[in-house]
Amino acid sequence: MDASESLSAGHLIVRELEAHGVRRAYLVPGESYLDVLDGLHDSPITPIVCRQEGGAGYMAVTEGRMTGVPGVAMVTRGPGAANVMAAVHTAHQDATPLVVFVGLIPTSHRGRESFQEFDLTGWFGSTTKKVLVLDDPDKAAEVVADALHTAVTGRPGPVVVGLPEEVLTQRTTASALPPLTVGVPAPDDGDLTEVRARIDQAERPVLIIGGEDWPQATAERIARWSADRGLGVLGTFRAYDGIDHDSPNFLGILGYGAAPVAERVFAEADLHIFLGCVRTDVATDGFTLGTEQKTIVIGPDPDAHGHFGRLDEHIVTSVSRFAARLVAADGTPDYAVTADGAVNEVGEGESGGAAAPELPAWITAARAELEAWRVPKPAPAEAEAGPGFVDMDEAFTHVRELLPEDAIVTYGAGNFSGWATRFLPTHAFPSALGPRNGSMGFGVPAAVAAGLVAPDRTIFCIAGDGDFLMNGQELATAAQYGIDLTIVVNDNSVYGTIRGHQDRDYPGRATGTALDNPDFAAMATAFGGLGIRVERTADFREAFAAALDHRGPALVHCITDPAIRGARL
């Protein structure tokens, strides 16, 4: 920028986002940050106008998870900031890069209980990596660069940036800055030697995968390496798409709704290798399962936040960098490693493919048990969905058959998500988008963002009735931007997960969990999509096929038995 040229701080913020490769900003507009909105007018960044800040935040979380570039949400002060809090908490617990810009009152109004005033750090300080406030227009680019850098370094997470209203319109001659370099340490030879030795000494070593650093080449390398080393592989809770589930050593997913075989493999292992994740309360069933094994943690977080139990070796690096070094150290075929650790595929004919290794008998047996568990069980006569209800176990046999293998599956929190995690294997990252912090209302906005990020893939959302209505209004956003997605709503007229806890702990005294629902199919039609109501299992396949074929938002409203709140065990 010429020294005589100036622009507003709000416009410089947009320039800095452009310099970092941000492609979309998910927002609910507010008068507190009008100058940033004006900067977006002539920007290649697409503003995605959402219907509620919760939906905008979840969409930004999804963008960050799918791309590795921090998702960007923009909201206004006070109530707008309050509405986005759930998404910030999701990014915090899920370790997802997110930057939320919050418009603020003018600086001269601070401390006077002004209209929509609140304490930005007081609200967000405990659930973010950093809270920044732009009080100097000359530092607009610096603050944005700091926020985006912080969101992706170490353990990824959310950063909140406050934008005082009058500062945004002040002029500055500052220029946009280049992105800060993200330094990623590489494991040294000693680290890998120790990992190899621990694996060789173990009888039942298990690799637990998670996190979001799983490009396809990395996923394939880890799959080959784990099979070659005789490792069983488990996915962690709602972050299990880092390996093709057709891999013969993939043995299931930990956490709520886990297959019994996955829990047993985890508990009986004598070595846990956590790659991109750590040992948490969810994976260990409340710190009761598999907490004493010898443990290796490999990931970018030097503090191993959230890890519980033993920690015998800690390698601070990214998943992709670790995979690259493994190829170099172990001589895995079909890849060439450059001096800086980058991995390039070897051209055809340059290296012969290795024969698939023979897996240990305990892995083969566990895999067979997992395969049997993933087949929906016929309902016993006394448990069959009655007339006027859809049997979701049987319905998901059709979902699995009709969805293409590269489909992206989204869901919020609730027992209904178990049908997706149990019956829909994934084959490439990203393919499963769910909130690891158990936040309801995530699935619909996640599906909208997934459709924007990957318009060439099929987007499927499974939602509960309570879950859907928390952010179902974002169907309007899907229609506005021409998103092609299919939603199945499991309508059992109850908050099923909580009702299950009530039935267990307070039998016969269920209170505060019943729902009286609208016609979700009619709602989808009103939003400009296709809506189909299904009350019989026999009608589901045809309805779901029609929804998949529809261009734009489509919803299948399944009426289900309130007494059946999850997949049959």
Side-chain angles (χ1 to χ4, degrees), residues 399-417:
V399 172
R400 181 169 177 171
E401 290 172 3
L402 294 173
L403 274 182
E405 282 200 349
D406 71 342
I408 297 175
V409 179
T410 76
Y411 46 81
N415 284 353
F416 64 86
S417 64

Side-chain angles (χ1 to χ4, degrees), residues 166-212:
E166 89 285 4
V167 175
L168 294 176
T169 61
Q170 293 173 11
R171 311 295 292 184
T172 178
T173 57
S175 301
L177 301 171
L180 298 170
T181 300
V182 178
V184 180
D188 60 31
D189 290 340
D191 293 328
L192 298 180
T193 297
E194 187 170 353
V195 170
R196 193 179 302 112
R198 291 183 186 278
I199 293 173
D200 290 343
Q201 294 165 8
E203 294 185 2
R204 289 177 174 250
V206 171
L207 176 71
I208 302 97
I209 63 166
E212 299 169 6

Side-chain angles (χ1 to χ4, degrees), residues 283-494:
T284 60
D285 192 17
F287 307 120
T288 63
L289 184 71
T291 61
E292 299 300 325
Q293 282 84 347
K294 293 179 181 178
T295 302
I296 303 171
V297 170
I298 305 163
D301 181 10
D303 297 316
H305 285 93
H307 182 76
F308 173 79
R310 287 183 63 162
L311 180 51
D312 299 278
E313 183 180 2
H314 184 194
I315 302 175
V316 181
T317 188
S318 70
V319 172
S320 290
R321 180 62 64 90
F322 178 75
R325 289 290 292 120
L326 283 177
V327 172
D330 287 6
T332 302
D334 300 328
Y335 297 103
V337 184
T338 62
D340 63 358
V343 179
N344 300 315
E345 293 188 24
V346 175
E348 185 177 353
E350 296 181 35
S351 175
E358 183 176 347
L359 294 169
W362 69 270
I363 292 180
T364 303
R367 175 68 186 187
E369 188 174 339
L370 176 69
E371 289 286 4
W373 184 78
R374 288 159 77 177
V375 176
K377 304 296 187 293
E382 67 274 10
E384 286 183 356
F389 294 129
V390 175
D391 182 330
M392 293 298 286
D393 282 55
E394 184 174 338
F396 262 76
T397 64
H398 304 300
V399 172
R400 181 169 177 171
E401 290 172 3
L402 294 173
L403 274 182
E405 282 200 349
D406 71 342
I408 297 175
V409 179
T410 76
Y411 46 81
N415 284 353
F416 64 86
S417 64
W419 280 297
T421 57
R422 180 171 175 178
F423 299 133
L424 301 182
T426 66
H427 304 286
F429 179 89
S431 293
L433 300 168
R436 298 194 280 279
N437 73 330
S439 184
M440 294 182 68
F442 183 85
V444 173
V448 174
L452 289 164
V453 174
D456 57 330
R457 294 176 65 181
T458 299
I459 312 299
F460 169 64
C461 172
I462 172 68
D465 44 2
D467 175 85
F468 177 82
L469 276 181
M470 291 197 174
N471 276 306
Q473 74 282 348
E474 300 304 341
L475 272 179
T477 308
Q480 181 174 343
Y481 294 95
I483 308 301
D484 188 18
L485 59 88
T486 300
I487 302 170
V488 168
V489 175
N490 172 55
D491 179 0
N492 61 3
S493 299
V494 68

